[in-house]
Amino acid sequence: MSHDPQALPLAGIRVIDYSHFLAGPYVGRCLAALGAEVIKVERPGSGDAGRQHAHVLDGHTSGYFLQLNMGKQGVSVNMKDPRGKAFMHQLCDSADVFIENYRPGALDKLGLGHAELSARNPRLVYCSISAYGHTGPDAHRAGFGLIAEAKSGIMQMVGTPGEAPPLLRISLGDMYTGIHAVAAINAALLGRERSGRGQHIDMALYDTLVSMHEYAVQCCTLSGGTVLPEQTGHDMPTSTLYGVFRAQDGDLVIAAQVDDAWKRFATLVEAHGGPAGFGADARFHTLNGRNTHRLEILAAVRAFVGARPVAEVLALLDGIDVPSAKVQRIDEVLADPQIQARGMVVEQQHPRHGTLRLPNLPFRFSGCDTTVHRVAPDLGEHNAEVARSLGYTADEIAALQADGVLFAPDLGNHEQS
């Protein structure tokens, strides 16, 4: 049965994205994909610092910025000029959501803090993202995802015993906090339908990562502080067998920690040259037993995997329905038929850079398509368009542009209107 396409869930919602670099822009990108009108506000001159992050294409546009700001309109406002502040106040008066990720108190000085904006627009949902949040003894401290990852206990749990833990190499703190902020904003918008009022959402990277612990916190608290996570390298001692193994031509992961899967896997290992009786060894038939004899098990499994190419091991495990996967490089991910089938790489046509291929968001709705085809804005690209939506006349807009209150560099293209 076919159905007519639905409007995107956040159609009609106006979002002011007064954020920079990662966590805040990611929230704005998600809301844009869900149908909101997202207006990215940047400072004159250099704009968002993310414009200079990897991979920079032309000196002022980076893949990082293009990925995190697709689907948005862009304005650049000089807040040092009273006319710029008045413009921003009018813009925020027209908005449903305001996103910022500055150190607590920084925007109060600009007249863009929650107290001032919510007094002007009581229906505004104001979302702040910071390292430590707006309360507590560390609220004043600066921080990045790296700081939260270290403070949260997550970093200490990874890596090889006896060595400093590695960098996680993805911005876990920023992205995980960002998607929690998306959820909180949507909940606040729904709540506003009943209360008639917005509210301040105070998101902290540190809080979010502490909330992410699915076992470490309770293991510590329920054991009276005696059970603490340790670095274990390539497997999980509490979930034997669950880890990373090296084959002849690459690495793969195996998840045979469930009793039934383990029995099938152990029988396979024995049949392909493993220790006699390995599959029937009752010591290994419970999770506690496997954990107790983990080193013995690992030796047999490493010998089994190490004697074969990745593809052969994966085929054998697929044949007995034991979850496994190759440890893929990014180029292999991009070529993966599953990723292609799910549309997880979005193609956009950029007026200067041609075809862009960037990561998509994982939203999938039965009634609408959340794929964003509008490229990230140039600095100040939509100044005039947004100003007109606020009631500014053509002469007023021209004066603001001439005086640099609304800023846009000459990039050899014309502003959209």
Side-chain angles (χ1 to χ4, degrees):
M1 182 177 179
S2 62
H3 299 277
D4 293 333
Q6 299 179 28
L8 288 165
L10 295 184
I13 297 295
R14 172 172 274 193
V15 177
I16 309 307
D17 181 352
Y18 199 83
S19 66
H20 58 291
F21 224 80
L22 182 50
Y26 179 71
V27 176
R29 180 196 170 178
C30 290
L31 297 178
L34 295 173
E37 176 197 17
V38 181
I39 300 172
K40 170 83 173 178
V41 182
E42 299 177 76
R43 61 189 176 188
S46 59
D48 185 336
R51 288 187 178 274
Q52 297 303 315
H53 202 50
H55 173 78
V56 179
L57 295 172
D58 56 8
H60 49 74
T61 304
S62 71
Y64 192 87
F65 185 88
L66 291 168
Q67 174 182 337
L68 291 166
N69 294 283
M70 63 175 70
K72 305 176 187 178
Q73 299 178 75
V75 299
S76 181
V77 184
N78 181 6
M79 287 291 292
K80 295 180 181 179
D81 189 302
R83 293 170 293 173
K85 183 175 180 179
F87 178 93
M88 280 301 302
H89 277 165
Q90 285 185 252
L91 186 59
C92 293
D93 289 348
S94 75
D96 300 284
V97 178
F98 184 89
I99 305 164
E100 62 93 7
N101 61 344
Y102 289 84
R103 198 183 304 197
L107 294 195
D108 294 337
K109 302 172 184 177
L110 294 177
L112 296 177
H114 172 254
E116 185 164 349
L117 293 189
S118 64
R120 298 176 58 95
N121 179 5
R123 288 177 58 81
L124 185 68
V125 173
Y126 189 110
C127 181
S128 297
I129 301 174
S130 60
Y132 296 101
H134 282 232
T135 59
D138 289 332
H140 67 286
R141 297 173 64 88
F144 295 91
L146 176 68
I147 308 302
E149 288 154 15
K151 293 272 287 184
S152 68
I154 291 175
M155 186 176 287
Q156 184 273 334
M157 296 164 57
V158 298
T160 302
E163 297 182 6
L167 292 176
L168 300 180
R169 296 300 303 275
I170 59 169
S171 299
L172 188 67
D174 288 273
M175 302 296 268
Y176 196 64
T177 304
I179 201 61
H180 271 63
V182 172
I185 288 168
N186 279 289
L189 288 171
L190 181 61
R192 189 183 70 171
E193 294 302 305
R194 293 188 287 268
S195 70
R197 295 187 62 85
Q199 55 185 306
H200 186 199
I201 298 168
D202 176 11
M203 302 293 303
L205 275 64
Y206 189 16
D207 292 350
T208 308
L209 289 185
V210 170
S211 79
M212 195 173 183
H213 284 291
E214 87 280 20
Y215 75 92
V217 170
Q218 57 264 39
C219 284
C220 180
T221 58
L222 297 179
S223 69
T226 62
V227 178
L228 299 174
E230 297 178 355
Q231 290 175 298
T232 60
H234 301 103
D235 73 300
M236 192 175 293
T238 56
S239 294
T240 309
L241 180 93
Y242 191 92
V244 186
F245 299 90
R246 174 143 291 179
Q248 288 178 340
D249 58 349
D251 299 316
L252 59 103
V253 295
I254 302 173
Q257 78 281 21
V258 178
D259 290 348
D260 288 345
W262 165 258
K263 292 173 185 177
R264 296 194 301 273
F265 176 60
T267 300
L268 177 76
V269 171
E270 181 181 356
H272 287 78
F278 191 68
D281 195 328
R283 295 179 302 159
F284 308 152
H285 287 181
T286 65
L287 180 60
N288 286 338
R290 290 192 296 279
N291 292 340
T292 299
H293 300 284
R294 165 175 160 263
L295 296 181
E296 183 179 347
I297 288 172
L298 288 176
V301 174
R302 286 169 178 159
F304 164 75
V305 175
R308 294 166 175 80
V310 169
E312 180 182 339
V313 178
L314 295 180
L316 290 170
L317 296 182
D318 280 347
I320 59 170
D321 197 26
V322 168
S324 61
K326 182 181 181 182
V327 177
Q328 296 191 133
R329 299 185 310 268
I330 286 296
D331 57 337
E332 294 173 309
V333 175
L334 295 174
D336 191 328
Q338 179 66 19
I339 289 301
Q340 294 175 352
R342 296 285 291 174
M344 279 307 300
V345 178
V346 61
E347 288 196 357
Q348 298 179 325
Q349 297 303 315
H350 194 279
R352 291 191 307 279
H353 305 301
T355 300
L356 304 175
R357 299 179 69 230
L358 300 167
N360 206 348
L361 293 171
F363 303 139
R364 296 292 179 272
F365 289 81
S366 63
C368 55
D369 181 9
T370 60
T371 302
V372 174
H373 295 289
R374 183 178 193 168
V375 299
D378 288 330
L379 184 61
E381 181 178 343
H382 303 97
N383 287 337
E385 180 179 337
V386 172
R388 281 195 296 271
S389 79
L390 299 177
Y392 283 83
T393 67
D395 288 343
E396 290 171 330
I397 293 170
L400 292 174
Q401 291 175 323
D403 294 341
V405 179
L406 296 179
F407 173 84
D410 184 4
L411 300 177
N413 60 338
H414 299 287
E415 180 180 337
Q416 295 181 7
S417 59

